[in-house]
Amino acid sequence: MTDDKDFLGRGWSFPPTFRKTGYRVDMLSGEADIKSSLDILLSTVAGERVMLPRYGADLRPYLFETMTPGTQALIQKLVYEAIVYHEPRIIVRQEEVVSTFDSTEGRLDIRIDYTVATTNTRYNYVFPFYVYEATNLER
């Protein structure tokens, strides 16, 4: 059975999950694939992927910076440019990338309001930008 939104894309779930039964890998399609793609894009440092050296938003250098309005504006610009260059399935205007800083949590939430180009459907996505204290904790 195929999904009626398969034209939006289909890809492996991240992290890749392989199933013994049926010898298959879990797949994502439609809006879930787009959101997963945004997660990967914003978590990737430029130069991290050998075959795509410009892929990624390159946010890691700003992880421990003081969150001034200038730093937040720069992060918004980096996120916008990464999406424009690497995610052709969605349309984002620069003013639709907004960041809010929570100083008590030490977290910068980057909200992206976007439109899926082929369906003209609007969605929003929030990327929490901060360091997790332990690496083995579930989010």
Side-chain angles (χ1 to χ4, degrees):
M1 184 171 164
T2 60
D3 188 7
D4 62 343
K5 293 188 180 181
D6 271 351
F7 61 90
L8 290 179
R10 185 168 168 83
W12 287 17
S13 64
F14 191 80
T17 306
F18 298 91
R19 302 290 175 194
K20 237 181 186 178
T21 57
Y23 302 102
R24 62 182 176 84
V25 64
D26 286 350
M27 302 292 280
L28 295 174
S29 63
E31 293 86 10
D33 187 38
I34 291 173
K35 287 186 179 194
S36 177
S37 176
L38 287 172
D39 241 357
I40 294 166
L41 176 63
L42 298 180
S43 299
T44 303
V45 177
E48 188 174 340
R49 291 196 174 184
V50 177
M51 299 301 285
L52 295 170
R54 294 184 182 160
Y55 184 84
D58 208 15
L59 299 178
R60 190 148 310 168
Y62 303 98
L63 198 55
F64 295 107
E65 288 289 321
T66 304
M67 280 302 138
T68 64
T71 305
Q72 283 182 264
L74 180 60
I75 289 172
Q76 287 172 216
K77 181 180 180 285
L78 290 172
V79 167
Y80 171 75
E81 288 176 353
I83 292 170
V84 166
Y85 291 122
H86 300 291
E87 187 49 77
R89 297 175 291 181
I90 64 174
I91 300 166
V92 178
R93 291 193 310 265
Q94 192 155 7
E95 63 271 7
E96 292 178 335
V97 178
V98 180
S99 61
T100 55
F101 180 64
D102 181 358
S103 60
T104 59
E105 299 257 341
R107 183 178 72 208
L108 180 71
D109 287 330
I110 304 166
R111 192 186 84 230
I112 304 161
D113 294 322
Y114 63 92
T115 304
V116 176
T118 53
T119 62
N120 204 27
T121 310
R122 292 188 57 83
Y123 292 94
N124 73 348
Y125 170 81
V126 177
F127 180 76
F129 181 57
Y130 64 103
V131 176
Y132 295 104
E133 288 294 323
T135 57
N136 293 330
L137 294 179
E138 294 287 323
R139 289 193 225 180

